[in-house]
Amino acid sequence: MIDFSPSEDLQALTKKVANFVREEIVPMENDPRQGPHGPEESLRQDLVSKGREAGLLTPHAPVEWGGLGLDNMGNALVFEAACYSPLGALALNIQAPDEGNVHLLDKVATDEQKDRWLRPLSEGRIRTVFHMTEPDGGAGSDPSLMKTVAKDDGDSYVINGRKWLISGIGAPGVGLNIIMAKTESVSGEELGASMFLLDGDVPGMKIVRTLDTMDSNTVGAHCEVTYDDVRVPKDQILGEPGKGFRYAQIRLAPARLTHCMRWLGQAVRCQEIAVDYARERVAFGKPIGEHEGVGFQLADNETDLHLARLSTWHCAWILDQGQKGRRESSLAKVFVSEALSRVVDRCVQVLGGLGITADTIVERTYRDIRAFRIYDGPSEVHRWAQARDIMRGA
Ligand SMILES: Cc1cc2nc3c(=O)[nH]c(=O)nc-3n(C[C@H](O)[C@H](O)[C@H](O)COP(=O)(O)OP(=O)(O)OC[C@H]3O[C@@H](n4cnc5c(N)ncnc54)[C@H](O)[C@@H]3O)c2cc1C
């Protein structure tokens, strides 16, 4: 039987997070250290300091590496409460890609690697970057198209190639780059993709450009990067050579789900703002929420929020049972990303002209949430994979 009822400790923690975000983080939402390429690193550090003082930092990381050690159901409640504000994820150190990288390092890295990178990451002292996607026909929805190559050169690998849409790399504070590349032996034999761990400052790695994108919620934005004879000592490979795609799957199922949890929090806030407006704003003799055209949009939002939460919790529960949850996380990712996009879109509509101004967080949420239907697998790719499973009776 599925039991979603949270323990008393978890209820208390969720309440603490909700109060912390409302009292400490919401008042910072108009901090001027935010622009089209995201919040500045100094703002992130101020937010992390607040999260640390409150004892709420990195709730998903294991206790031994500096986190609170929550399971997936715990994350579901706490992440939603934290992301009531667009700055809440930074304050609790649960922003992508750092959040997913914590999980990946915890599951695959050696103790030495964990000490070097997982500990400072969990303590909010560094940010991390995940390099997979490529321009010019390389790795994207289909990662097997990867062109970046890491060649075995004796005691190290040498990486050459180009990637783009690499989040977070365009600002100070990066202490770890996780680079995926096709691996070749000394004799040129293909060994499959591997993951490599490199410090923040990497000789031979260059940011070619910072992309101008419709979202603006990532410290360090999204960049195009080149690797020109980047040398990685062999003890900085993550796990075993050739197992990169398997490790990417370990990272993906929980990472998809935590996107659902975070966006749920922000969509709930948008709905609150829309409901307040619909109660206050009078047109044609009554509050606009009493006109069916508006009231039904608010009702549809409640349905989408409710089902998005159920889908997220169900998948969290499955992962907590020790199952891989690949199929469920894929289903949840498609449904939740599309349901919450509908919610935020309706909120813009209910707010009228106010909805397209930056006077509420609805406008930035509308811009930021669009990419959720693309990253960690576009909706169509998830549907295609599901359809393939259906047709072969899997
Ligand atoms: C905001 C944001 C942040 C990102 N951050 C990172 C990051 O930090 N690191 C990183 O490595 N990458 C990152 N990405 C890249 C992201 O992972 C890719 O955009 C995603 O995997 C899709 O790849 P693509 O952009 O190359 O799209 P393409 O592979 O070119 O696909 C284009 C479209 O084709 C359609 N399509 C593809 N395959 C199928 C199919 N089988 N059936 C039906 N339709 C299909 C889909 O509609 C898809 O949207 C980020 C992307 C965004 C938008």
Side-chain angles (χ1 to χ4, degrees):
M1 197 186 78
I2 298 178
D3 182 4
F4 287 143
S5 47
S7 67
E8 280 185 17
D9 282 355
L10 182 56
Q11 286 181 51
L13 178 64
T14 308
K15 201 166 168 204
K16 185 176 171 185
V17 171
N19 290 338
F20 165 75
V21 169
R22 279 169 174 78
E23 286 161 20
E24 303 267 345
I25 306 304
V26 168
M28 294 178 73
E29 283 172 353
N30 291 325
D31 190 292
R33 289 170 292 173
Q34 298 174 85
H37 291 149
E40 291 175 16
E41 171 64 10
S42 69
L43 173 57
R44 184 191 80 90
Q45 285 179 12
D46 288 353
L47 291 161
V48 161
S49 296
K50 284 184 179 289
R52 189 180 292 124
E53 267 168 42
L56 297 174
L57 216 54
T58 330
H60 60 300
V63 175
E64 62 177 311
W65 297 109
L68 301 183
L70 293 187
D71 61 8
N72 290 284
M73 268 311 292
N75 290 341
L77 271 80
V78 165
F79 283 30
E80 181 183 331
C83 295
Y84 181 79
S85 168
L87 297 178
L90 290 175
L92 262 70
N93 198 24
I94 55 171
Q95 179 94 327
D98 289 328
E99 178 271 324
N101 291 341
V102 164
H103 183 71
L104 176 66
L105 291 172
D106 178 41
K107 293 290 171 221
V108 188
T110 64
D111 278 352
E112 219 168 62
Q113 291 170 340
K114 287 181 188 176
D115 212 38
R116 182 164 168 189
W117 289 299
L118 179 54
R119 190 176 300 288
L121 170 58
S122 299
E123 291 173 355
R125 290 190 278 118
I126 60 166
R127 291 186 300 107
T128 59
V129 176
F130 190 75
H131 303 233
M132 166 120 105
T133 308
E134 298 172 339
D136 309 325
S141 303
D142 181 354
S144 71
L145 299 171
M146 190 163 291
K147 292 178 172 177
T148 301
V149 172
K151 195 162 169 53
D152 191 332
D153 190 39
D155 58 358
S156 54
Y157 290 95
V158 178
I159 302 180
N160 281 286
R162 176 183 290 265
K163 298 205 181 256
W164 85 321
L165 289 164
I166 305 307
S167 302
I169 198 166
V174 176
L176 170 65
N177 291 281
I178 305 175
I179 302 180
M180 265 193 98
K182 272 192 325 188
T183 322
E184 279 182 9
S185 68
V186 179
S187 61
E189 183 195 355
E190 287 209 5
L191 303 173
S194 307
M195 289 190 185
F196 300 91
L197 306 173
L198 292 101
D199 289 321
D201 199 10
V202 182
M205 188 171 84
K206 192 171 150 202
I207 298 173
V208 183
R209 64 180 175 130
T210 300
L211 305 169
D212 294 322
T213 57
M214 70 192 284
D215 66 328
S216 58
N217 60 347
T218 303
V219 178
H222 316 292
C223 299
E224 185 165 341
V225 184
T226 54
Y227 318 92
D228 189 10
D229 284 339
V230 171
R231 200 162 273 280
V232 200
K234 280 218 165 134
D235 63 352
Q236 289 180 213
I237 195 165
L238 182 66
E240 294 173 39
K243 293 200 173 162
F245 288 137
R246 193 185 299 175
Y247 301 146
Q249 287 305 323
I250 291 176
R251 184 183 185 279
L252 261 182
R256 282 176 192 145
L257 201 59
T258 50
H259 280 306
C260 298
M261 298 166 187
R262 282 186 293 263
W263 285 120
L264 191 50
Q266 217 167 303
V268 164
R269 172 84 175 285
C270 290
Q271 167 77 341
E272 265 185 42
I273 292 168
V275 169
D276 284 349
Y277 188 76
R279 285 184 181 140
E280 296 291 320
R281 175 66 164 154
V282 173
F284 303 101
K286 56 185 176 182
I288 58 167
E290 290 178 19
H291 292 287
E292 199 174 87
V294 171
F296 277 22
Q297 291 193 68
L298 298 174
D300 285 345
N301 278 355
E302 286 300 317
T303 307
D304 275 334
L305 289 169
H306 177 67
L307 293 177
R309 188 176 290 115
L310 272 185
S311 175
T312 304
W313 285 15
H314 179 242
C315 187
W317 181 84
I318 283 176
L319 294 179
D320 286 338
Q321 305 307 301
Q323 298 173 35
K324 285 193 183 132
R326 249 182 79 186
R327 183 155 186 264
E328 291 79 6
S329 71
S330 169
L331 290 168
K333 203 270 184 184
V334 173
F335 179 76
V336 175
S337 63
E338 296 181 1
L340 299 184
S341 295
R342 290 193 293 269
V343 169
V344 178
D345 181 72
R346 290 188 200 108
C347 290
V348 172
Q349 195 67 19
V350 169
L351 292 177
L354 175 63
I356 57 107
T357 74
D359 283 10
T360 78
I361 64 129
V362 175
E363 180 266 347
R364 70 163 95 167
T365 307
Y366 181 82
R367 282 186 291 105
D368 290 345
I369 204 171
R370 182 61 184 84
F372 183 22
R373 284 156 55 193
I374 295 171
Y375 50 63
D376 286 356
S379 291
E380 295 73 26
V381 176
H382 286 286
R383 285 193 169 88
W384 169 72
Q386 297 288 347
R388 224 178 24 182
D389 285 353
I390 293 167
M391 292 310 288
R392 63 172 182 230

